[in-house]
Amino acid sequence: MSEHPRLVQVRQHILKHNDCAARALRERFHGAGTYVVSLVSSPGAGKTAFLEKLLGSLGGRYRVAALVGDLATDNDARRLARSGAAVKQIITGTVCHLEADMVAAALDGWQWEGLDFLFIENVGNLVCPATFDLGEDLRLVLFSVTEGEDKPLKYPTIFNTADVAVITKIDIASAVEFDRTAAHRNIQSVRPGMPIWEISAKSGEGMDAWLGFLESRLTESQERR
Amino acid sequence: MHELSIALSLLDLVEEEAGRRGVRVTAVHLRLGPLSGVVRDALVSAFELAREGTPQEQANLVIEEVPVVVSCPRCAAPKMLESAWKLCCPTCGTPTPEILSGRELDLVALEIEP
């Protein structure tokens, strides 16, 4: 018998455990008719303001709730709860991203079944959340007009794993000399064909069109059930 | 530093495979793409940290870096790209949303000793 090491083929995705947990979540969400949207961005891009506006606008007509991930504090959850929607904070401690297990744990003992929309706000970070599937139907990447038009080129992976890009704080675009054409070109460079929405949570600009898109996605997903 | 989470997931997988076969693992072979969101050096450091005190303490990582390959709809052919931030055909410039490889974050093989 040979004393040399032997090579055995094992083909597995390293994040098999997260993938399985995300698949189980997706099945539960689909079974319950809940459309799940996750939000990723750098810190300060306006995820919470955007989500506050979404919960407020959809809350009258749909059953909506949100899970919000942060390293520390429940400030965002308390702020969002003012909309009247059910909101739960996931405090990740030192972990720089959400994983499917954390979402599953947050759902435990929480009355989420019967929701139309569940929003999951990831930890503010454009690197780490890219790799982890959370069982969502739609992943949004947000970036604000103050961040620089080349953000997509610097963080191609997160843009590549997201389904939709949302440019926030569009009400101050001209004040900060935001180059809209360059921003769109850079998004299309890292993710050809990616739909882009420009919105302002403050002035409400672009929100109606965005809400219309979200509602059509919910209808499509419920018709597929 | 999500590489630590990934290193721990990798160790769990290796542990599972090694335990099932009743063998000792001397090397862990991975395939890593630029669109996996994982930095090679950070993963190596995280793995070296995570393996301490486990049965995999002697196991080394062998990483094969996989290029980004897209499918060009105009040339109707796979094309290898230099970078992950310009997804267009290097020959004709057509945007190439379809990615054939480059997202790999895979455990492919183990070197084992009885």
Side-chain angles (χ1 to χ4, degrees):
Chain A
M1 208 172 114
S2 165
E3 286 300 308
H4 295 295
R6 213 156 48 81
L7 197 67
V8 288
Q9 304 295 323
V10 180
R11 296 218 156 255
Q12 301 260 27
H13 188 226
I14 293 175
L15 292 178
K16 185 177 91 167
H17 175 80
N18 190 76
D19 292 346
C20 291
R23 200 175 311 122
L25 279 174
R26 196 167 275 120
E27 280 170 18
R28 284 170 71 189
F29 293 143
H30 286 179
T34 303
Y35 192 74
V36 181
V37 180
S38 75
L39 293 83
V40 292
S41 79
S42 55
K47 281 190 301 300
T48 310
F50 177 62
L51 195 48
E52 201 169 16
K53 193 84 182 173
L54 277 180
L55 294 175
S57 309
L58 293 167
R61 290 164 292 150
Y62 298 98
R63 289 157 296 181
V64 295
L67 293 174
V68 287
D70 276 300
L71 299 181
T73 82
D74 63 350
N75 292 352
D76 283 2
R78 285 192 283 117
R79 174 174 163 193
L80 291 169
R82 292 202 299 260
S83 69
V87 180
K88 194 166 180 180
Q89 183 81 43
I90 303 176
I91 294 176
T92 60
T94 56
V95 182
C96 48
H97 58 273
L98 291 179
E99 297 188 12
D101 276 345
M102 299 179 194
V103 173
L107 295 178
D108 271 351
W110 203 46
Q111 286 300 314
W112 65 273
E113 288 95 345
L115 286 175
D116 297 305
F117 287 106
L118 174 65
F119 296 94
I120 304 175
E121 183 185 327
N122 216 315
V123 177
N125 181 332
L126 278 180
V127 182
C128 311
T131 315
F132 299 86
D133 184 2
L134 301 179
E136 69 268 65
D137 293 295
L138 190 75
R139 182 181 286 187
L140 313 185
V141 58
L142 296 89
F143 85 109
S144 67
V145 297
T146 57
E147 287 177 66
E149 297 82 4
D150 59 351
K151 206 92 196 219
L153 304 182
K154 290 177 176 167
Y155 299 92
T157 305
I158 196 95
F159 279 82
N160 206 271
T161 62
D163 303 295
V164 171
V166 175
I167 301 175
T168 59
K169 309 184 190 179
I170 202 72
D171 55 308
I172 57 165
S174 58
V176 297
E177 297 181 352
F178 178 66
D179 185 343
R180 190 176 168 272
T181 310
H184 281 247
R185 186 178 60 235
N186 292 339
I187 293 170
Q188 296 302 325
S189 172
V190 293
R191 183 84 153 112
M194 185 177 225
I196 303 170
W197 302 86
E198 296 179 348
I199 62 101
S200 163
K202 195 170 178 192
S203 71
E205 187 181 339
M207 283 301 285
D208 285 344
W210 162 252
L211 289 170
F213 168 75
L214 216 48
E215 288 174 279
S216 69
R217 295 301 286 256
L218 174 70
T219 309
E220 280 168 31
S221 127
Q222 289 180 339
E223 279 168 0
R224 274 201 303 270
R225 282 180 76 200
Chain B
M1 246 313 262
H2 60 305
E3 279 81 4
L4 190 56
S5 294
I6 290 162
L8 291 168
S9 299
L10 174 60
L11 271 176
D12 284 346
L13 270 187
V14 173
E15 192 93 38
E16 193 183 304
E17 291 291 333
R20 200 157 53 81
R21 296 164 200 264
V23 293
R24 200 172 75 83
V25 176
T26 55
V28 177
H29 291 240
L30 308 182
R31 277 166 66 86
L32 196 61
L35 286 168
S36 65
V38 173
V39 178
R40 179 201 176 108
D41 291 349
L43 180 61
V44 172
S45 305
F47 185 79
E48 285 171 0
L49 199 69
R51 72 183 176 184
E52 273 181 41
T54 75
Q56 271 56 253
E57 206 156 25
Q58 303 301 321
N60 290 312
L61 283 188
V62 181
I63 299 178
E64 180 197 347
E65 289 182 86
V66 184
V68 178
V69 179
V70 293
S71 170
C72 174
R74 188 151 172 220
C75 303
K79 298 281 176 175
M80 201 197 291
L81 302 187
E82 294 287 322
S83 67
W85 48 269
K86 203 160 189 267
L87 294 189
C88 67
C89 176
T91 314
C92 71
T94 303
T96 52
E98 193 188 341
I99 296 169
L100 302 176
S101 86
R103 289 194 167 118
E104 289 79 356
L105 179 57
D106 297 330
L107 167 63
V108 288
L110 298 173
E111 280 177 39
I112 58 169
E113 281 178 355

